[in-house]
Amino acid sequence: MAHEPAGGRQVKGTGGVTYAHAGAEYFEKRGLRRHAGAWSLWALGVAAVISGDFSGWNLGIGEAGWGGMLIATIAIGLMYLLMIYSIAEMSATMPHTGGAYSFARSAMGPWGGFVTGLAETIEYVITTAVVGTFAGLYADAITEDLFGFTMPLWLWVVGFYVVFVGLNSAGAEASFRFAVVITIISLSVLAFFFISAIVSGRVDFANLWNIEPEAGGSTFLPMGIGGVLAALPFAIWFFLGIEELPLAAEETHTPQRDIPRGSLMGMWTLLASAFLVLLLNPAVLGAEEIGSSGEPILDGFRAIFPDSNIASLLSLFALAGLVASFQGIMFAAGRNMYSLSRAGYYPKPLSLTGGRKVPYVALVVSAVIGVVLVFGLGAIRNEPGETLSDAQVAVAGQLLNIAVFGAVISYFLQMVAFLMLRRSYADVARPYTSPAGRWGAIVAAVISGLTLIVLPFNESYRSVVVGVAAFFVAGLLYFALFGRHRLVLSPEEEFAVTHGKHGHPETEGYDVTEQILEEGDPEAAPR
């Protein structure tokens, strides 16, 4: 039975925010259903990232040479591993859907939580649109090559969105099962490439050093130390998205155990695949050749199987990598918007879940935003002599740079939150503790902070700083004028305002703190 508001009761919190009464009926319309275990989470995390092994990372070799890209990948891989250890601890302590927003909310208050959550929204909504765009390009090239069939890019992308919004809206079980299947297919394609490269005798490690050094450079670092810094954003593509798994906390049977396990299994899988791709793909093609390739794995297959149709057929399976990431990042975009909406930071209808207990409104809205960004901005940008498709692809590339900015901002703030929570929530139960501790979070924060500083020095990233700033200004204005007056005591907010005493939906359910407040318990007053 819903608890009716007592005269429209509102409660003031810190940071100039106000909590409105919601009641049990509010949360019944926003419920989720538990399905996942550690292996389902592993598949979801790897699926979200795996497209980065198929393309994009290789452009870092063009910026730094193979040696520079190796150093950049080691640094970024270390950052992600230490960050995942820290995130695993926080997600086990705060097992609710909010993820990064939730961690920062408890550590830094409502404004810190909102900024961190907004950074993740930028990352996931835009990355989904960009991956969908490149999947559309890829699919059209395949169908034209094999069947002589082609479609406009916008039709491919809208088609992908319709199919995968439908899949994600069918329920958590369908989403996780698809993630398992598509992840196994994607990893099998990579494994086949690794084995084929070695068995074929096409691997030549001398190819790693075929870039002519610039002045002051060397065979190992042909572009010098500056090249290493320029390669950092491209190394991120090997791992971008693995941090999303805490967003599945309320759809996991035992989140305190399974989210750390699934996250770390996924991270080690991605580390292994990244370094095998980095070693073998350039050894087959050559560092100079791979540095500008649009499809490095397929170019590798073409080198291994010359004068054969097998590369064209394998391209069908290689598309699985892009499809996997499209579905995985879409899942994260929906849950991120859902959690911020349920707490009142975003408009509340975005968190409605319907009979299948899936945030279908958030999924649809994130899809609409993605399509409008890529194709709306593409149409605006369309210049004389440039095809509409080329304009849309150029916009997608710029948007991906914005997504990387959002991701790195979120990473830095999450590591700051970890350090603050270790101090201010020292007495809260931690079912999982990061073996890297505070120093691991400090190292991850330093690397993410350095990457954030380096990004504007890359000309392609410098041009999108205004875009990133525009997103944040619009978000902050909305929160300052509207959102902060309409917050709700969702599990994430419950945990923060009660200093960890409540906010555990897997054991308490929802609406606990509101009931306590109605009974006049001062310990439940928002902080």
Side-chain angles (χ1 to χ4, degrees):
M1 181 177 177
H3 297 277
E4 296 299 327
R9 175 181 54 78
Q10 293 185 327
V11 181
K12 295 289 184 181
T14 58
V17 303
T18 305
Y19 290 94
H21 176 80
E25 185 180 356
Y26 177 86
F27 293 109
E28 287 170 3
K29 294 178 180 179
R30 292 161 173 80
L32 298 172
R33 184 172 293 149
R34 297 187 185 275
H35 170 78
W39 282 105
S40 296
L41 294 168
W42 164 82
L44 180 66
V46 173
V49 183
I50 200 67
S51 65
D53 282 358
F54 286 85
S55 64
W57 65 271
N58 54 298
L59 302 179
I61 292 181
E63 297 283 345
W66 187 83
M69 185 61 184
L70 174 65
I71 295 173
T73 303
I74 291 172
I76 294 298
L78 177 64
M79 179 194 79
Y80 270 93
L81 179 61
L82 296 174
M83 182 175 71
I84 291 302
Y85 278 132
S86 301
I87 289 175
E89 176 176 314
M90 292 188 289
S91 64
T93 305
M94 292 168 270
H96 25 67
T97 299
Y101 135 66
S102 176
F103 311 149
R105 166 61 185 94
S106 292
M108 295 182 271
W111 287 89
F114 176 75
V115 169
T116 306
L118 178 60
E120 271 209 332
T121 302
I122 292 170
E123 173 191 358
Y124 294 139
V125 171
I126 290 179
T127 301
T128 305
V130 173
V131 173
T133 301
F134 290 126
L137 287 168
Y138 207 90
D140 196 62
I142 292 170
T143 57
E144 184 176 17
D145 184 41
L146 294 178
F147 311 113
F149 171 75
T150 185
M151 288 197 310
L153 177 59
W154 72 266
L155 198 54
W156 279 109
V157 176
V158 170
F160 278 126
Y161 265 117
V162 169
V163 169
F164 286 100
V165 166
L167 174 68
N168 279 277
S169 297
E173 183 176 357
S175 296
F176 284 115
R177 285 184 174 177
F178 179 82
V180 171
V181 172
I182 202 71
T183 297
I184 291 173
I185 292 174
S186 301
L187 290 174
S188 297
V189 172
L190 291 175
F192 183 66
F193 173 77
F194 301 148
I195 295 170
S196 300
I198 294 169
V199 171
S200 69
R202 297 287 302 189
V203 173
D204 182 357
F205 294 116
N207 286 337
L208 304 178
W209 323 111
N210 70 348
I211 294 179
E212 189 70 25
E214 296 180 353
S218 64
T219 302
F220 185 72
L221 294 176
M223 287 77 169
I225 297 298
V228 176
L229 297 177
L232 290 174
F234 298 99
I236 287 176
W237 291 14
F238 277 131
F239 311 106
L240 180 69
I242 185 60
E243 76 285 352
E244 76 172 49
L245 294 184
L247 293 167
E250 291 176 48
E251 292 163 285
T252 301
H253 288 302
T254 53
Q256 291 93 337
R257 180 191 66 189
D258 289 336
I259 290 181
R261 285 181 60 199
S263 298
L264 290 167
M265 288 191 301
M267 188 63 225
W268 285 109
T269 300
L270 293 169
L271 284 169
S273 65
F275 282 103
L276 285 170
V277 166
L278 179 59
L279 178 65
L280 295 176
N281 207 174
V284 169
L285 289 178
E288 184 174 10
E289 292 77 5
I290 204 172
S292 58
S293 172
E295 43 191 33
I297 290 290
L298 285 183
D299 284 343
F301 275 128
R302 294 183 183 112
I304 295 168
F305 301 104
D307 304 319
S308 170
N309 289 328
I310 193 169
S312 296
L313 293 173
L314 284 168
S315 64
L316 286 170
F317 293 98
L319 178 60
L322 286 166
V323 169
S325 292
F326 185 75
Q327 191 269 342
I329 297 293
M330 178 183 286
F331 178 96
R335 271 55 177 186
N336 163 270
M337 293 182 72
Y338 160 84
S339 62
L340 286 159
S341 165
R342 182 178 63 176
Y345 290 86
Y346 292 170
K348 294 182 178 68
L350 290 173
S351 52
L352 292 170
T353 56
R356 295 185 180 273
K357 301 303 179 184
V358 174
Y360 66 95
V361 180
L363 288 167
V364 171
V365 170
S366 69
V368 171
I369 292 172
V371 170
V372 169
L373 283 173
V374 172
F375 297 103
L377 294 177
I380 293 172
R381 164 203 157 94
N382 199 201
E383 299 172 355
E386 182 183 45
T387 67
L388 182 59
S389 178
D390 287 341
Q392 291 160 348
V393 172
V395 166
Q398 293 295 300
L399 288 172
L400 183 58
N401 295 341
I402 292 177
V404 171
F405 258 112
V408 177
I409 291 169
S410 170
Y411 299 162
F412 179 78
L413 291 174
Q414 286 182 81
M415 293 305 94
V416 172
F418 177 88
L419 295 169
M420 295 176 69
L421 290 170
R422 272 289 186 96
R423 184 172 183 176
S424 59
Y425 284 66
D427 56 340
V428 172
R430 286 174 165 77
Y432 174 85
T433 304
S434 167
R438 289 186 176 89
W439 280 107
I442 290 171
V443 171
V446 168
I447 297 174
S448 59
L450 176 64
T451 305
L452 186 60
I453 293 170
V454 166
L455 286 176
F457 288 93
N458 184 315
E459 186 174 350
S460 61
Y461 282 88
R462 192 181 310 147
S463 60
V464 302
V465 171
V466 174
V468 176
F471 276 110
F472 274 101
V473 168
L476 288 169
L477 281 174
Y478 171 82
F479 184 59
L481 296 175
F482 304 104
R484 69 188 179 94
H485 301 300
R486 303 175 182 179
L487 298 189
V488 170
L489 287 170
S490 66
E492 298 87 352
E493 298 297 310
E494 278 193 304
F495 188 93
V497 302
T498 65
H499 207 71
K501 185 177 180 180
H502 298 292
H504 299 275
E506 80 287 359
T507 57
E508 293 184 327
Y510 303 90
D511 200 29
V512 174
T513 303
E514 284 203 348
Q515 295 182 52
I516 295 172
L517 281 170
E518 288 180 355
E519 295 166 3
D521 184 351
E523 292 186 9
R527 304 184 181 192

